[in-house]
Amino acid sequence: ANQSGTSIFDPVVCELVYRWFCPPSGQVLDPFAGGSVRGIVAAIIGRQYWGCDLRPEQVDANQQQADAICNGIVPQWICGDALDVLADAPMSDLVFSCPPYGDLERYSDDPRDLSTMEYHTFIAAYKRIIRRCYERLNNNRFACFVVGEFRDGKGRYRNFVGDTVSAFQQAGFDYYNEAILVTSCGSLPIRINGQFTASRKLGKTHQNFLIFVKGDPFAAAKDITASAAGPEGGAG
């Protein structure tokens, strides 16, 4: 009910990711935790969750929401810089996150916050965080990031999707799957006319759902399906 005004992650996407790409009772690692959704959904469907965020007020709000909703498994949020605290994160069975889209949405004034950085500095820190995630992920396991393109001050695409793929590959992951997450168009059909007339910029109503694997994808899939029962073993 009481949200910060920043974007809220889709809980249905969370459930699909956990059921499709994480073994039942597996450990989820989220280096850009933000709000409570990914942690609470993980706990409700039986996954362990560890996430980190720089903002103590956000971590406190997440914990309060989890205390009110979760019974049994409780998600864990750590307040701190991912570059520092990931070294102490548990070994995990899935890396799942939605990172900041550069400075498109600013989350704080903390200079460690990636959303405050120039893009080249942002990407350098982003790559280091993904490398640390690789080190905390068990072998034969998946990693999923939801990302989208955004523009610089002159209206040019940053190529954030491509930079994300490169960052994962440089860390040691294999690029394995991509899906398109279609989002509500809302008022875009009304707003886009002037934008398109002036600049020929098309409207955007999707994000890129990128899936990577560490190790053997067939072994990773086998570990998920072998321990799943009922709806856990399905794909839709």
Side-chain angles (χ1 to χ4, degrees), residues 37 64-65 119 124 160 179 181 190:
V37 173
Q64 291 175 21
Q65 291 166 19
Y119 189 69
F160 184 45
L181 179 61
I190 298 172

Side-chain angles (χ1 to χ4, degrees), residues 183-212:
T183 54
S184 174
C185 65
S187 62
L188 181 62
I190 298 172
R191 294 183 286 108
I192 196 62
N193 185 54
Q195 175 180 307
F196 182 77
T197 300
S199 65
R200 288 304 188 263
K201 292 191 183 78
L202 302 175
K204 184 172 180 292
T205 59
H206 74 277
Q207 293 171 292
N208 297 73
F209 185 93
L210 307 177
I211 302 104
F212 305 89

Side-chain angles (χ1 to χ4, degrees), residues 33-86:
S36 64
V37 173
R38 289 191 293 276
I40 288 176
V41 173
I44 287 173
I45 64 172
R47 273 67 171 176
Q48 307 292 326
Y49 174 92
W50 184 100
C52 59
D53 195 273
L54 276 173
R55 298 164 294 166
E57 67 277 9
Q58 183 66 69
V59 171
D60 290 344
N62 291 354
Q63 197 62 62
Q64 291 175 21
Q65 291 166 19
D67 290 344
I69 296 172
C70 297
N71 293 313
I73 298 175
V74 177
Q76 181 182 17
W77 289 280
I78 301 298
C79 185
D81 187 342
L83 286 169
D84 298 325
V85 300
L86 277 171

Side-chain angles (χ1 to χ4, degrees), residues 7-34:
S7 56
I8 300 172
F9 200 83
D10 187 338
V12 176
V13 172
C14 291
E15 182 174 0
L16 291 175
V17 170
Y18 296 146
R19 294 195 188 280
W20 289 355
F21 299 109
C22 183
S25 74
Q27 176 70 54
V28 179
L29 176 65
D30 185 351
F32 303 106

